[in-house]
Every structure is written in structure tokens, then in C-alpha cells.
Amino acid sequence: MGVALAVSPWWWTAAIPLAAVGALGVWDLVQRRHSVLRNYPVLGHARFLLERIRPELQQYFVERNFDGRPFDRDIRSIVYERAKGTAAEEPFGTERDVYQTGYEYLVPSMAPRPVPEHPPRIRIGGPDCARPYDMALLNVSAMSFGSLSANAVLALNQGAAAGGFAHDTGEGGLSEYHLRPGGDLVWEIGTGYFGCRTRDGDFDPGEFTEKASAESVRCVSLKLSQGAKPGIGGVLPGAKVNAEIARVRDVPEGETVISPPYHQVFSTPRELVRFIARIRQLSGGKPAGFKLCPGSRRQFLAVCKAMIEEGTAPDFIIVDGAEGGTGAAPLEFADHVGTPLTEGLTTVHNALVGTGLRDRIRIGASGKIATGTDLVKRLIQGADYGNAARAMMFAVGCIQAQRCHTNTCPVGVTTQDPRRARALDVDDKATRVQRLQEATVTSALQIMASMGVTDPAQLRPHMLHRRVDPQTVRSYDVLYDWLSPGQLLVEPPADWAADWKAADPDHFTV
């Protein structure tokens, strides 16, 4: 009896897990959902486990320093180091193949210039703007409260306030977390008109006027489309729509929020231009503009014609590239729909130059800007300033887990789960945001000085080269057409003539 009692606990300790494994095996054999488990009961679960942790294995153990996606290890490392204020230098030379087709490089000067003590700022505000704003060279791109946690928004805005740069709210409304730290804001209005919408989802001019009067709202922006998912609108899962988000967005609590793919406030290029003028007036004369991922050149030229005929224009246009980020999008859209930023920028810049409008409209660039090199390239391609989203997310702790749409972000950046969001320390991450912006702009100025220029306005297309095949290198002034001021109005070049002729300010003709 004594021996039996002594052995019994050991027997039961082993029997319970064996019984559980046996039960799992029986279930695997009879279930009909997974064929692999029917053929390989119990052992087949290893396949699903490895699939679940595949992104982490790929990121940390498989990919090389320079070929990861969306951001490689080198880029993530330089962002983290600059945000933390640590050294961001590398020894022993580049790991990139500089003879690979598509490799781009900036052209240094034999007569470098001193780096300016103070970064230049870009005046936003055309002749119809009563309250222009001086934009920094790099700013926080559009990310909504709801997509981001409250702590993430607070850290971004607090960092922007400390560094003197702008913070785009995204289309999710104007929350207290955007307003509390006092950083400069670009209030973005999307197709859902969140924060300034009527009960049936239309634009509410009264609510817009009231909120746009806030001192920290420096510019207002109408979102037409987003680079990672142009033409389909956005989705915020109901699990993320708590009482606070519902209040900010003027939507029902707990229900999935869908941004329509189109606007109700305009249906033609002319109506778009008139609405931009309207929100500028409603905001008290603050700079007003729009954001888009360019598609049809003909449609954008139609908007330019509408600007000319209406005698008014936006103060700025933000060009979002197809390589831009998003919390969630269909893979087909993220991979195959939309114009990459290089082509989008050159198209918008040249269209405005060719129609004589470029002097009154500033261009912002957004889409995978993370380093000083990225910023200088975009300035050469036609931008006046840049916006960064995912790089700023790295600064507040993002580890590229790519779970933004699941509400299970492991570092509290893209979640509304208070237990996860508390991991993000606002004061610490705000300092990192400020450091990243300052270091990136400083890097851009150092690069420009090495190229022999001290101001972005001195950058020219011939200063950026691309290898087009193993034996051939071309500069951007050869790779792309660059129109002269007013050229489309006088004698359109052959490549532009058909689109210019077909562009109709009263129709979005494809």
C-alpha cells in the first residue's frame, strides 16, 4: 500500500499530459478543416506554430541587413540609434551592391559647403491664405488616433512640440491627445469627415469651423487617397472603437467604422478646388490643401485647369507614394495599385510647373522617408518638405511586428488595449521623436552641403543618378521630363499634349 501511494502521484503527473495529447490526436483525425492534421495528428501543429512565428524568424535570423521589407535592418537600426541619441555610424563600408540595376546615388561636389546652423523652413500659404505657416523639412505624417494608441499620439505630438515641427492628425479626428501637448497640427479630413461630420456622414461646416479655430491647428488637409490603398477608403475594426474614439470621430461605439472610397463634398475637379477654398475660409484663412496618391496624369491636369479657371488653388499638396504604410489594406492594393512616390512627385511637380502654379503651391512628400538620404532624394524629385510615419513609429517603440490591424501590438503603438498601451512611456518616446527628426534633418543638411548646396531650393535633378543597367548610369534630368514654367499653357511637349488636351476641369476623365 505504501509503495502504491508513493508511485501514484508520478503516474498521474505523466498520465494527464499523455491523455491530453491522445485526445488532441483523436480530434485531429476526425476534424475536417485542416488536411495536414488529419494526416499528421499532433505533429502537424508544429507547422502552424512555425507559420505563426515566421515573421519574427525572418526578421531576426534570415534577412540580411539591407534587403528586409518593408524596412530593412540597416534603416531600422539607424532610426533607433538616432531616436536614442546614440552613434549612427557603420564601419568597413557599404554592404549594398552599388553596381546593381536600380541603385541610386547622390552626386558630391568638389567644393562642399558649410552645413547651415539653422534648418530652413518652408512657407506654406499662397495669395489666398491669411495665416501662412512655416513648415519644417521633416514632419510627422498622417496617423489617426484609433489606429494609434493615445500614448503614441501624445508622444508624437509632444515630440513635435519640443522640436518645432508639424504633426498630421490622420483622418481619425482631432482628439485631446493631439491638442494637449500643444504641437503644431495639420488637421486631415478624410472621406468619413470624422470629427466634423453630420449624423448621416456628410461634412459639418459648423463643427469644422469650431475645431479648426484651435491655435495648434496650423493647416487643414483634405485626404483624397492614400498610397498603400488608393481608392478604397479605410476600416477601423469595431473592437478598437471604444467610447472615446466614438466621441472623437462622431460614430457609434463598438461598430466597425468604414471610410467611404469617395467624397460627398465634390464630384468634379472644379468642385474639389472650390471646396479647398471653402475650408480655408472656414478655418479663418489657414493654409488648406489636399493629399493624394497620384494615378491618372490626365485627372491631375484637370485639377490644374480647374485651379486656373477658378482663380484659386490649394496652398499645399501632399503626394503619398504607393510604398507608403497603412494599418491594414488588401495585399493586391498594397502591392499593385497606386503610383510610387518618385513618379508621383515628378508628375505633380511638373504639372504645377507647366501650368504656372508651382510658385504658389508647396509639395509635401510622404512614403517611406526615414533617413536624410530619403529626404534629399524627394526634394530633388520635386518636394518642398517630407513627412514620415513609420520612422516616427519606430521612434516611439515600433518593432515592425506587422500586427497593426489586430489590436495586439506588442509595444503599445497601434492598439486600444490599455494594458498594452501602458508599455509606451510618453515622455521617453516623445524625446526620441524629437531626436529622430532633428538628427534626420541634420543628416539631410550635411548631405546637401557635401553636394555643394546650402538650401533645398538649390537642388537640381542632375544631382541624383540611377544605374539603369550594369554599364549605364543616368541622371534624373535625363530620366524624366522637366517642364519649364507655363509650358503647358503655351506649347505642351509631345508626351504631355494628349493628356493636357483631354483634361476637363468638370470631369474626372480616366
Side-chain angles (χ1 to χ4, degrees), residues 39-87:
N39 282 337
Y40 302 95
V42 182
L43 290 177
H45 287 279
R47 182 258 186 192
F48 295 102
L49 173 63
L50 291 172
E51 185 180 54
R52 184 176 182 85
I53 63 173
R54 180 183 179 277
E56 287 80 5
L57 293 174
Q58 176 79 15
Q59 181 179 146
Y60 293 116
F61 302 110
V62 177
E63 70 180 39
R64 294 175 294 179
N65 288 339
F66 53 86
D67 62 2
R69 295 288 187 272
F71 286 83
D72 61 44
R73 168 56 60 183
D74 280 344
I75 297 301
R76 297 199 304 273
S77 294
I78 197 172
V79 170
Y80 292 142
E81 288 163 357
R82 285 177 171 165
K84 294 174 183 177
T86 58

Side-chain angles (χ1 to χ4, degrees), residues 182-468:
D184 292 344
L185 293 172
V186 177
W187 183 17
E188 181 179 279
I189 310 298
T191 55
Y193 311 115
F194 299 125
C196 57
R197 63 186 263 140
T198 62
R199 287 191 174 185
D200 60 357
D202 201 353
F203 176 71
D204 185 334
E207 188 175 13
F208 173 83
T209 301
E210 178 184 354
K211 292 183 177 179
S213 66
E215 185 61 30
S216 56
V217 175
R218 301 304 185 117
C219 306
V220 291
S221 176
L222 189 70
K223 174 186 170 182
L224 305 188
S225 60
Q226 181 178 343
K229 49 183 179 182
I232 59 170
V235 177
L236 184 65
K240 279 190 169 186
V241 185
N242 58 29
E244 189 172 38
I245 291 172
R247 183 173 65 254
V248 170
R249 296 196 177 203
D250 295 335
V251 296
E253 181 181 353
E255 295 184 13
T256 295
V257 179
I258 299 177
S259 304
Y262 53 86
H263 275 276
Q264 296 185 49
V265 294
F266 70 88
S267 59
T268 69
R270 194 184 302 276
E271 290 174 354
L272 166 62
V273 171
R274 288 174 177 170
F275 186 74
I276 296 296
R278 184 186 180 197
I279 61 175
R280 178 168 49 221
Q281 181 183 22
L282 291 173
S283 70
K286 295 178 180 180
F290 62 85
K291 179 178 89 171
L292 83 164
C293 175
S296 164
R297 183 170 69 179
R298 185 173 300 178
Q299 289 184 343
F300 188 79
L301 289 173
V303 176
C304 292
K305 281 188 175 180
M307 296 177 198
I308 295 169
E309 293 187 11
E310 291 296 314
T312 186
D315 300 294
F316 63 91
I317 296 173
I318 300 170
V319 181
D320 198 14
E323 61 269 55
T326 181
L331 183 64
E332 298 92 334
F333 275 80
D335 284 353
H336 302 293
V337 182
T339 305
L341 186 52
T342 294
E343 285 73 24
L345 272 177
T346 54
T347 295
V348 170
H349 169 75
N350 278 291
L352 294 177
V353 170
T355 52
L357 295 164
R358 186 64 177 88
D359 289 344
R360 65 186 292 177
I361 301 173
R362 297 292 173 257
I363 298 177
S366 65
K368 219 170 181 180
I369 294 176
T371 68
T373 305
D374 298 332
L375 185 54
V376 174
K377 283 184 179 181
R378 299 316 181 188
L379 296 176
I380 287 175
Q381 292 166 356
D384 294 296
Y385 64 94
N387 292 334
R390 285 169 291 180
M392 297 295 181
M393 289 173 64
F394 291 145
V396 297
C398 172
I399 59 173
Q400 197 169 276
Q402 295 178 271
R403 297 180 185 171
C404 310
H405 61 301
T406 66
N407 207 32
T408 60
C409 173
V411 290
V413 178
T414 60
T415 181
Q416 297 306 311
D417 183 340
R419 294 172 299 175
R420 293 177 180 270
R422 68 177 294 276
L424 197 159
D425 183 85
V426 172
D427 292 337
D428 176 64
K429 304 307 183 187
T431 301
R432 295 190 184 195
V433 169
Q434 186 269 328
R435 283 198 199 112
L436 173 63
Q437 192 272 351
E438 181 180 17
T440 305
V441 170
T442 298
S443 171
L445 294 177
Q446 290 172 337
I447 292 169
M448 285 190 281
S450 77
M451 298 167 65
V453 303
T454 56
D455 189 276
Q458 298 169 332
L459 293 169
R460 295 292 181 269
H462 70 267
M463 297 177 177
L464 177 58
H465 287 198
R466 180 192 296 169
R467 185 173 294 281
V468 295

Side-chain angles (χ1 to χ4, degrees), residues 125-204:
D128 299 326
C129 177
R131 301 173 65 180
Y133 175 68
D134 292 332
M135 189 76 71
L137 275 182
L138 182 65
N139 308 277
V140 180
S141 195
M143 293 178 283
S144 303
F145 170 57
S147 297
L148 299 190
S149 67
N151 280 359
V153 174
L154 282 170
L156 290 169
N157 195 261
Q158 190 171 309
F165 50 95
H167 176 194
D168 192 312
T169 66
E171 64 176 307
L174 196 60
S175 73
E176 66 168 297
Y177 308 110
H178 291 103
L179 295 166
R180 189 193 305 169
D184 292 344
L185 293 172
V186 177
W187 183 17
E188 181 179 279
I189 310 298
T191 55
Y193 311 115
F194 299 125
C196 57
R197 63 186 263 140
T198 62
R199 287 191 174 185
D200 60 357
D202 201 353
F203 176 71
D204 185 334

